[in-house]
Amino acid sequence: MDLHGQRVVMGGQRRRAEDLGERDLERARIRLVHLLEVETGFRSGSRMWAQPGEPRPEYDPDRTTLTERRRAKVAELKALNRQDAKLLGLEWISERTLERMAAERDEHGLLGLADGRWTRALSGHQSVTPQVAEAIHAVHAESLHRSRLSMKTKERMIHQYVREKFGPDVRVPHYTTLSKVWKEWFGPQGARQRYVRSASAVETGRSKVVISRPGQVVVLDTTPLPVKVLDDVFASPISVDLTLAMDAHTHSLVAFRLTPVSDASVEVAMLLRDVLLPLPMRPGWGPEMEWPYPGVPAALVAEFAGYPVAGRPFFAPETVTSDHGSVYKNHHMLQVARTLGVDLLPARMMRPSDKAACERAFAGIQSLLLELLLGYRGVDVADRGVDPEGDAVWTLEETEHLLATWMVKVWQNRRLNQYAPAWDPGGRHSPNTLFAAAAARDGIALEVPEPRLYYELLPAHFVKIHGRRGVKVGGLWYDGPVLAPYRGRLSDRSGRHRGKWVVSRDPRDCREVFFEDPADGSWHALRWTELPPGDDVPAFSDSREREVLREAARAGLKPLDDRELLPVLLDLVAARTPVTAWPTQMSKQQRAERARELARARSAAADRPRSLPRSLPAAAPAARSVELARQTQRAVAADRRERREAAVPGRPEPPPLLGEVLRARSMFLLPEGEGDRPTGSDGERP
């Protein structure tokens, strides 16, 4: 019990001196000084630390008793100014009060001298009766159904509900109390009405994921890069998306991708592949950016990887969490998850706390790096500068290199203030030190995936191998010498794709597809059958391919093969226009689309292993000329045949044989020329 009859407990636990505010703590110390002077005659509590003039005569322990000192202290405090005594909570002091203060100090120390009202336990809102609570929940459900309402309107609705359901005698708390209760129960409700409605419709999970090791949870997210960059083709300012992969345990940025306009599932698949691969050292990176983690020498990691490795963690992710974007939850991502053996854990709808660390990383990158770059466009239109597009000076390739350098050199070594580990909350830690601590505890798995993983992560197409033309993927034909043993044959696959073969295609570059030879498990490139020799045709994506086919159908073409599609493709991508004339011949949108095509093609080329041979060599110019002439002759003959069939809709009756006409003339002595006349069905002349 304290001075006011309250138990010295708080929330089921005993109160502590730390619960007192600075002002209350000072008041308790002044009380202690008065009590020590009563008990010992000295304000410090000991003769060893006696102050000048101590002990005072009325408190001298050698001349007075304890009862006399208590009476003297009561008289002294009552002589104080009423306001000063009230400030100490001793305006009603008595000898009995001093006795209780001494007993409380002996049991609870300094906290026993504090007024229990200074640390009163939270008792909730006593004025919120069950009837009022029912009204608050009913109004909350109604406010979700209606348009956005102010808190004042909600208060009036609560009054209406209580008045009609329980009568006018039930007391409703004040507006301030209702507002506090509403925020405690339902949150601030400051978002848009449709977002609040969606968030309320989802049941919040009660289980917590305890992350204890690197790679246990990897968070993926995509956001528009708030910096205008220049494309590498036309040097025009474009918008790009930044996709991050963050390790939830160490807060390491283990991979990232810059994608013009918008990302695709294949970009996310290659991002997960980057998490498994060690980051190679780049030109201009010094020895301070090499592999720094103790326990595994950099030379050993370089031997496993095949190249010098930079100081960025790599591991096999166990669980991947992301938002509900289409690139994160389509069939291709499910295929990628099965191939990598990871679990997809989508974040809960309208619960940004599931990706709070990744969202905070975006904000950190923006404030620490992106705001310093020319071309920064702010978070919205209202904060935008005069001309961010005109200020853009960083190209897409330069921006990617800058981000990679900054993440390895700055972010991985930056102190994490609010993300300190539970086992050392007051220590100084960075993503690198957290990964080093986990590596020292659990070790590092040096499992570098093989180059064939690139082909296994690409979208799979189940097709038949035709005897003459090869395989057809997405409307285009691909062929190569590796298909020779399997032409016209069915595979041993059963089930949904019975008898079909698997072909992988990178949708960023549709000039080639990839076929795995069942004989030895090696991968081979199958080129588009109508590609000219060399690299005259630029890279094109699957969206460009669909546009080509739609344009051909709109023009009324009925091509015999893919060669007739080649002029349409070249016209769309303007490959034969001189570079100096491109900005004038193409609109801004067309330039941006073309830059995106080439950027995605370069990304696909960078992801592709270098050791894959080209299975279809370029044909000789003379042989291709002869084949072109033959195809032209076949096309002309087919056109003439179609014209003849259109002119004569039915098959004409053949004339009688010449021998039969001569025999008829000799038998019936017909004059010459009459044998050509038609006869009746019975052979008689009509």
Side-chain angles (χ1 to χ4, degrees):
M1 304 290 290
D2 65 359
L3 297 182
H4 289 268
Q6 298 182 3
R7 293 188 61 192
V8 190
V9 294
M10 186 176 182
Q13 295 181 335
R14 288 190 172 273
R15 291 186 304 171
R16 303 171 61 91
E18 290 82 354
D19 296 327
L20 297 172
E22 294 183 3
R23 180 171 175 269
D24 296 333
L25 187 60
E26 185 64 26
R27 294 161 69 185
R29 288 171 178 168
I30 295 176
R31 284 186 171 192
L32 178 61
V33 168
H34 287 290
L35 181 62
L36 289 177
E37 190 174 19
V38 171
E39 297 291 327
T40 64
F42 300 90
R43 300 175 68 89
S44 61
S46 174
R47 294 179 181 270
M48 304 299 297
W49 295 284
Q51 299 180 6
E54 288 186 344
R56 291 188 289 175
E58 61 272 23
Y59 298 107
D60 190 351
D62 297 334
R63 300 177 182 180
T64 60
T65 63
L66 179 59
T67 302
E68 292 175 344
R69 292 194 296 272
R70 285 174 179 170
R71 290 173 183 173
K73 180 60 67 174
V74 170
E76 178 186 349
L77 293 176
K78 285 185 176 181
L80 289 176
N81 182 276
R82 176 81 177 185
Q83 191 66 26
D84 295 341
K86 186 176 181 179
L87 184 63
L88 295 175
L90 300 176
E91 66 273 21
W92 305 107
I93 191 67
S94 66
E95 294 183 38
R96 178 58 182 163
T97 303
L98 293 176
E99 292 178 6
R100 293 204 319 269
M101 289 176 63
E104 290 291 336
R105 174 182 174 271
D106 293 340
E107 184 177 357
H108 303 293
L110 179 62
L111 187 61
L113 302 179
D115 194 324
R117 293 170 294 184
W118 300 347
T119 55
R120 180 180 299 170
L122 298 178
S123 58
H125 304 280
Q126 300 295 337
S127 57
V128 180
T129 60
Q131 295 85 351
V132 176
E134 179 183 341
I136 293 175
H137 285 287
V139 173
H140 177 256
E142 183 67 19
S143 65
L144 293 177
H145 178 73
R146 298 191 187 185
S147 300
R148 184 184 179 91
L149 303 175
S150 64
M151 189 60 211
K152 203 66 180 178
T153 302
K154 297 172 184 175
E155 180 207 13
R156 298 188 181 102
M157 295 174 64
I158 293 173
H159 277 274
Q160 177 187 357
Y161 186 91
V162 172
R163 185 181 184 88
E164 295 182 4
K165 293 281 289 187
F166 307 109
D169 298 334
V170 179
R171 182 178 176 274
V172 178
H174 189 264
Y175 167 80
T176 305
T177 302
L178 292 177
S179 179
K180 291 181 179 179
V181 172
W182 192 281
K183 290 183 179 180
E184 290 177 6
W185 291 3
F186 311 118
Q189 305 283 301
R192 297 294 186 184
Q193 182 68 3
R194 60 175 179 176
Y195 300 147
V196 174
R197 187 182 303 114
S198 300
S200 300
V202 178
E203 179 67 23
T204 304
R206 302 180 184 274
S207 61
K208 301 293 183 181
V209 178
V210 180
I211 304 174
S212 59
R213 56 188 178 276
Q216 184 178 358
V217 176
V218 174
V219 186
L220 304 183
D221 201 5
T222 302
T223 187
L225 189 73
V227 176
K228 284 287 187 177
V229 301
L230 303 177
D231 65 75
D232 298 326
V233 181
F234 305 100
S236 299
I238 60 174
S239 299
V240 298
D241 286 349
L242 172 62
T243 304
L244 278 183
M246 166 176 277
D247 176 43
H249 177 70
T250 63
H251 294 269
S252 299
L253 299 181
V254 290
F256 79 96
R257 289 269 169 160
L258 287 179
T259 310
V261 184
S262 61
D263 56 352
S265 60
V266 65
E267 297 284 355
V268 180
M270 295 300 133
L271 181 74
L272 292 177
R273 175 172 168 263
D274 292 342
V275 176
L276 282 78
L277 291 174
L279 179 66
M281 293 288 291
R282 299 192 178 190
W285 287 7
E288 73 279 1
M289 301 178 65
E290 292 184 357
W291 178 266
Y293 306 108
V296 181
L300 180 61
V301 180
E303 181 180 355
F304 272 86
Y307 48 80
V309 178
R312 189 210 69 184
F314 67 94
F315 42 73
E318 302 175 21
T319 303
V320 173
T321 181
S322 64
D323 57 15
H324 292 259
S326 59
V327 297
Y328 295 113
K329 60 177 185 179
N330 53 23
H331 294 287
H332 179 217
M333 281 305 301
L334 296 179
Q335 170 196 337
V336 171
R338 288 192 296 267
T339 303
L340 296 178
V342 302
D343 296 328
L344 293 179
L345 183 64
R348 293 171 297 176
M349 296 288 290
M350 308 305 299
R351 292 294 185 272
S353 58
D354 289 355
K355 302 188 288 82
C358 194
E359 298 290 352
R360 186 65 186 88
F362 282 131
I365 295 174
Q366 175 178 317
S367 61
L368 296 174
L369 175 65
L370 300 181
E371 291 182 359
L372 302 175
L373 305 183
L374 289 176
Y376 175 71
R377 56 179 179 171
V379 295
D380 56 22
V381 179
D383 295 334
R384 191 159 298 174
V386 177
D387 187 16
E389 295 187 354
D391 297 339
V393 296
W394 292 85
T395 65
L396 181 61
E397 184 177 358
E398 292 172 347
T399 306
E400 194 274 339
H401 182 76
L402 174 67
L403 278 173
T405 306
W406 181 84
M407 289 179 182
V408 175
K409 199 169 186 178
V410 178
W411 179 271
Q412 290 297 119
N413 297 284
R414 184 171 177 267
R415 181 183 177 185
L416 300 174
N417 291 327
Q418 67 273 35
Y419 294 119
W423 44 268
D424 189 13
R428 298 172 60 91
H429 295 278
S430 66
N432 274 346
T433 59
L434 290 178
F435 184 78
R441 181 191 62 191
D442 303 327
I444 298 178
L446 294 180
E447 297 181 3
V448 181
E450 298 180 357
R452 62 181 294 114
L453 180 63
Y454 164 78
Y455 308 104
E456 296 175 355
L457 296 181
L458 295 178
H461 299 264
F462 297 87
V463 297
K464 293 183 178 180
I465 300 178
H466 297 265
R468 184 175 59 89
R469 308 189 65 178
V471 297
K472 185 177 184 181
V473 179
L476 301 181
W477 290 91
Y478 300 87
D479 200 356
V482 69
L483 300 181
Y486 312 104
R487 297 183 185 275
R489 291 176 48 186
L490 299 178
S491 69
D492 56 357
R493 177 175 284 102
S494 60
R496 179 182 177 185
H497 303 287
R498 183 183 182 88
K500 294 184 178 181
W501 303 85
V502 178
V503 174
S504 298
R505 182 179 68 163
D506 194 333
R508 299 170 294 181
D509 187 357
C510 295
R511 294 177 298 179
E512 294 178 336
V513 296
F514 307 99
F515 176 77
E516 183 181 12
D517 191 353
D520 54 3
S522 60
W523 288 85
H524 300 264
L526 308 179
R527 288 172 60 87
W528 184 25
T529 56
E530 299 306 329
L531 278 180
D535 295 327
D536 295 341
V537 178
F540 57 94
S541 64
D542 55 346
S543 59
R544 182 71 61 179
E545 172 195 342
R546 291 190 294 267
E547 185 179 351
V548 169
L549 297 177
R550 286 196 301 267
E551 188 69 21
R554 189 180 300 113
L557 295 177
K558 296 180 180 179
L560 295 176
D561 50 34
D562 291 337
R563 180 170 297 279
E564 298 190 31
L565 297 178
L566 184 59
V568 183
L569 173 64
L570 296 179
D571 182 64
L572 286 175
V573 300
R576 299 193 181 279
T577 306
V579 177
T580 56
W582 280 352
T584 58
Q585 296 294 328
M586 302 175 67
S587 64
K588 181 179 179 180
Q589 180 180 0
Q590 291 173 332
R591 292 197 300 269
E593 291 178 356
R594 182 63 193 134
R596 180 172 182 265
E597 295 283 343
L598 296 182
R600 297 185 69 190
R602 283 193 297 270
S603 179
D607 294 332
R608 189 176 307 161
R610 298 290 184 267
S611 58
L612 183 67
R614 293 184 178 273
S615 299
L616 186 62
R624 297 190 64 85
S625 300
V626 173
E627 179 64 19
L628 179 61
R630 292 177 180 175
Q631 293 182 0
T632 304
Q633 293 175 0
R634 288 197 296 268
V636 172
D639 182 71
R640 290 177 177 176
R641 182 172 61 254
E642 292 178 357
R643 291 184 181 181
R644 289 195 300 268
E645 292 175 356
V648 184
R651 182 180 182 86
E653 292 291 334
L657 298 177
L658 182 59
E660 297 179 357
V661 175
L662 294 178
R663 286 195 297 272
R665 288 177 180 174
S666 61
M667 185 178 299
F668 299 102
L669 301 177
L670 295 178
E672 185 177 358
E674 292 188 6
D676 297 332
R677 298 178 182 177
T679 59
S681 59
D682 56 355
E684 296 290 336
R685 288 184 298 168

